[in-house]
Amino acid sequence: MALTMNDVDRFEASRPRLEAIAYRLLGSASEAEDAVQETFLRWQASDVDRIEVPEAWLTKALTNLCLNQLTSARARRETYVGQWLPEPLLAGDSMLGPADTAEQRESVSYAVLTLMERLSPNERAVYVLREAFDYPHREIAEILDITEAASQQILHRAKKHVADGKARTEIDGAAARRIVEEFLAAATSGRTEPLVRLLTEDAISIGDGGGKVPARAKAFEGALAVAKFMRGLFKPSEAKRALVGGSPEIYAATANGAPALVVVVDGRVVGVMCLEVTAEGITAFRNQVNPDKLERATERWAAADRGEPLLTAF
């Protein structure tokens, strides 16, 4: 059935919310875009005039598509080369969605998106719809074809899985920049001790190269191991310049609401390092260097007011 312009407009009005839901469910901007486009095709093929609540219909269609995608994604990630990390989104990206409450901001944080990989597809859907978009359990139950009581139980289970015992610290843009500057100064000092002082004892560093860029398959664990890795990572060399295709510029930024380093070569983002910060110090570095997961960041970077680089490295 052909859509009217009004039908198209109704879908487009929902697109930002649908994209934000899909990104949280899938951890991938490109897969989220595909899921939203498939939702549009289903909207186009439906008898729109008989749909009483378009927003609810679209949310259910999208969520079911994402649940199917998550099931197949689990199988794909079993053969993924090295560590798998979500696709980072830079500040201002519309796909980050609502950020009015602590729960909404946390649901799109890089740390929580990574932790949500522990959840079953249904647990992830309930967690996202309830925590990030404040859907009542009655509506979640209708979307997932479960009972309201089951939705409540699933949320309780999901929150328990996601909780990691660390007190997350809310960081504003100015504080994020100070943290990044302090870390970068320590990382380029050539000494391990300044870095160790910034880290928690159980700090970790994880890299995702997707088999396309070298990244250690096993995480570095412990303050000393992470500090030694970071010291070596920021030590200049011709080999590193050759690997990234030039001398990278390093900027302070915010990705998924947290402090980050953005590494850029000739306008192309070649790495995003997300820092997880607690009151005790930096507790995790999650480094995305898989070029397939940096295309959107590069597009966003080209349109951003990025300021001056903190460092031209290597």
Side-chain angles (χ1 to χ4, degrees), residues 60 64 67 122 139-148 150:
K60 180 167 185 171
N64 285 323
L67 290 177
N122 259 20
E139 291 186 23
I140 295 172
E142 291 174 0
I143 289 169
L144 298 177
D145 293 323
I146 57 177
T147 67
E148 192 170 340

Side-chain angles (χ1 to χ4, degrees), residues 291-307:
D292 293 344
K293 298 183 183 181
L294 295 172
E295 292 179 1
R296 189 178 179 95
T298 295
E299 292 173 5
R300 177 71 197 168
W301 192 254
D305 180 13
R306 48 190 174 269

Side-chain angles (χ1 to χ4, degrees), residues 3-235:
L3 296 180
T4 65
M5 285 304 299
N6 185 52
D7 296 331
V8 174
D9 288 344
R10 281 197 291 177
F11 181 87
E12 291 303 323
S14 295
R15 184 183 289 275
R17 178 180 56 84
L18 296 174
E19 287 187 343
I21 292 172
Y23 172 71
R24 284 167 167 81
L25 288 175
L26 300 173
S28 165
S30 59
E31 290 180 5
E33 288 176 336
D34 290 345
V36 172
Q37 185 58 29
E38 179 61 31
T39 302
F40 175 75
L41 294 177
R42 295 193 177 193
W43 173 252
Q44 189 177 41
S46 68
D47 187 351
V48 173
D49 291 337
R50 299 186 66 180
I51 296 174
E52 295 182 4
V53 186
E55 179 180 301
W57 189 96
L58 291 169
T59 303
K60 180 167 185 171
L62 174 81
T63 301
N64 285 323
L65 284 167
C66 289
L67 290 177
N68 292 336
Q69 182 79 357
L70 280 170
T71 302
S72 61
R74 286 193 162 200
R76 291 199 309 274
R77 286 171 196 169
E78 289 178 2
T79 59
Y80 192 83
V81 178
Q83 300 276 348
W84 184 94
L85 289 173
E87 183 175 345
L89 297 182
L90 301 182
D93 194 311
S94 61
M95 200 174 279
L96 288 169
D100 298 326
T101 67
E103 290 80 10
Q104 289 172 339
R105 292 188 291 274
E106 187 172 76
S107 72
V108 80
S109 73
Y110 215 59
V112 169
L113 283 174
T114 303
L115 288 168
M116 280 200 285
E117 289 297 303
R118 303 175 180 181
L119 305 181
S120 70
N122 259 20
E123 287 173 341
R124 190 161 182 163
V126 172
Y127 183 87
V128 166
L129 292 172
R130 180 62 186 161
E131 293 294 289
F133 295 91
D134 202 28
Y135 277 80
H137 283 290
R138 175 181 53 78
E139 291 186 23
I140 295 172
E142 291 174 0
I143 289 169
L144 298 177
D145 293 323
I146 57 177
T147 67
E148 192 170 340
S151 177
Q152 293 169 339
Q153 291 169 356
I154 290 170
L155 177 66
H156 177 75
R157 202 162 59 235
K159 290 174 77 169
K160 187 176 180 180
H161 286 317
V162 168
D164 63 351
K166 294 186 178 70
R168 186 170 179 269
T169 303
E170 293 264 347
I171 305 282
D172 62 25
R177 184 178 178 86
R178 288 195 299 272
I179 291 166
V180 169
E181 288 175 343
E182 190 175 1
F183 161 70
L184 196 56
T188 56
S189 69
R191 297 185 297 125
T192 304
E193 294 78 10
L195 275 166
V196 171
R197 287 196 293 270
L198 294 177
L199 309 178
T200 61
E201 289 185 6
D202 60 348
I204 60 169
S205 178
I206 304 169
D208 178 350
K212 299 185 177 184
V213 174
R216 193 170 187 256
K218 191 172 183 289
F220 290 93
E221 299 181 358
L224 185 58
V226 172
K228 287 180 176 178
F229 167 66
M230 291 296 170
R231 185 189 64 189
L233 182 65
F234 286 92
K235 185 176 181 180

